[in-house]
Amino acid sequence: MLPREQWEQFEHSILCEKAAFSDNSAGREREEEKCPLRSEYRRDRDRILHCNSFRRLKHKTQVFLSPAGDHYRTRLTHTLEVSQIAGTIARALRLNEDLTEAIALGHDLGHTPFGHAGERMLNELSPYGFHHYEQSLRVVDKLEKEGRGLNLTHEVRDGILKHTNAVAKTYEGYVVRFADVIAYINHDIDDSIRAGILREDEIPSKITSVLGHSKSSRITTLVSSLIECGLNGEAGDEDSLKMTSEVETAYKALHKFMFDSVYTNPVCKSEERKAQDMIAYLYKYYTDHLERLPAMYMNLAYHYGIDMAVCDYISGMTDVFAVETFKELFIPAAWMIK
């Protein structure tokens, strides 16, 4: 037997009956010969890990714009934390870890520079709207590999698209949705404490008495609660994965506390308007000067329209590249007199 076939057989012996099995995948948009070594989902995981968009995540904002410090999260470190948490849940529930990891690694590939501030601005500017989860799917379908896309399996694509506000067709996809919020709410607390805009003892006791008094204990409580409740109903049901009522209530209270204390904090958001103005200037410039887009994006404009191609280009920028491009286009260069 090929190594892939051995692994597929192993999945059937170890995973629960509700898991997504690699040899039962709905396949890819373009049919390919299967890899002799890797399962379909493992292959997708590797394709995402090696793509350009994944590497650019290391220079994209998570919450704090261009933080002056080595220990603040970026979009890449967030993605890795989501993958770790999702993998822990998937293993405990005997779901397919390869599928879970592939979805987790790809879920934020379409995020803009400057985090959700950039996303909100593009959503405001584009007549089609802009949402990072839809853009993440567009990245893997249309933008990677010079427009050829990664040709991922339907299950991975579905999980990427639905990781924010919908229920994926697989339990693995829904696990990533929970892992995403568990990761960001807790590492945002950690980063906020490091930035000096929040203290651990400011989190209300009604929350910490249930979830715990540290990042580690809160993550453990939330993850354990999901595992304790187990898999319910059928994949795709809203309540197919849930926390206990006590933990869910405390989590929702923590989420509200973070929005009130951090996500709308003027210190945290002090530079957002500048970042959004830069994106607005770039958007108008490229819609008016299509010829200045790289060749691939000019081709995308021909097929999908100028607005979508400009969103593709800007959303793929890192924070640093967006700033440097803005400077090049709008800030006069120093005149060097010889």
Side-chain angles (χ1 to χ4, degrees), residues 170-193:
T170 63
Y171 289 102
E172 289 84 354
Y174 206 12
V175 162
V176 172
R177 175 175 164 182
F178 276 89
D180 187 25
V181 296
I182 291 172
Y184 81 67
I185 203 76
N186 283 287
H187 63 49
D188 291 351
I189 292 173
D190 196 36
D191 282 353
S192 299
I193 292 172

Side-chain angles (χ1 to χ4, degrees), residues 16-224:
C16 75
E17 62 180 10
K18 294 183 176 182
F21 296 96
S22 300
D23 58 353
N24 289 338
S25 170
R28 307 174 186 277
E29 289 293 317
R30 301 187 302 276
E31 189 173 345
E32 297 180 17
E33 184 177 348
K34 291 187 176 182
C35 175
L37 303 178
R38 299 166 294 170
S39 71
E40 292 292 84
Y41 302 141
R42 188 70 176 181
R43 196 179 191 185
D44 283 357
R45 175 257 188 200
D46 294 348
R47 288 181 178 183
I48 292 168
L49 189 63
H50 291 284
C51 76
N52 290 331
S53 300
F54 184 80
R55 290 192 292 278
R56 289 200 297 270
L57 294 177
K58 67 181 177 180
H59 294 303
K60 290 195 176 189
T61 287
Q62 176 60 25
V63 171
F64 296 94
L65 299 183
S66 303
D70 294 333
H71 298 122
Y72 291 92
R73 269 73 172 188
T74 64
R75 192 60 59 179
L76 177 61
T77 53
H78 162 72
T79 295
L80 296 176
E81 292 183 22
V82 172
S83 179
Q84 180 273 316
I85 292 171
T88 296
I89 298 169
R91 178 172 294 192
L93 296 174
R94 292 168 52 215
L95 295 172
N96 194 310
E97 289 184 65
D98 286 339
L99 173 57
T100 304
E101 186 176 11
I103 296 169
L105 293 177
H107 82 282
D108 270 355
L109 293 179
H111 241 300
T112 61
F114 314 118
H116 288 287
E119 179 179 16
R120 287 192 296 270
M121 180 51 68
L122 282 184
N123 185 50
E124 180 181 322
L125 292 169
S126 173
Y128 307 106
F130 183 93
H131 302 286
H132 79 273
Y133 47 89
E134 295 175 344
Q135 188 66 18
S136 293
L137 183 63
R138 183 165 168 79
V139 166
V140 298
D141 279 354
K142 304 293 184 183
L143 304 184
E144 272 295 332
K145 299 184 71 172
E146 297 297 318
R148 299 189 301 277
L150 301 180
N151 196 31
L152 303 180
T153 58
H154 290 289
E155 293 79 11
V156 173
R157 295 174 62 252
D158 175 74
I160 289 173
L161 178 63
K162 296 176 180 176
H163 80 269
T164 296
N165 56 8
V167 183
K169 294 178 181 178
T170 63
Y171 289 102
E172 289 84 354
Y174 206 12
V175 162
V176 172
R177 175 175 164 182
F178 276 89
D180 187 25
V181 296
I182 291 172
Y184 81 67
I185 203 76
N186 283 287
H187 63 49
D188 291 351
I189 292 173
D190 196 36
D191 282 353
S192 299
I193 292 172
R194 179 173 288 109
I197 63 173
L198 180 68
R199 297 193 316 271
E200 180 72 42
D201 60 13
E202 291 180 308
I203 303 174
S205 58
K206 67 177 182 179
I207 297 173
T208 57
S209 63
V210 176
L211 301 184
H213 297 271
S214 68
K215 177 188 67 175
S216 177
S217 61
R218 283 188 292 268
I219 292 175
T220 298
T221 300
L222 293 165
V223 168
S224 297

Side-chain angles (χ1 to χ4, degrees), residues 48 143 207 245-246 278 289:
I48 292 168
L143 304 184
I207 297 173
S245 59
E246 181 185 31
M278 275 198 297
H289 301 86

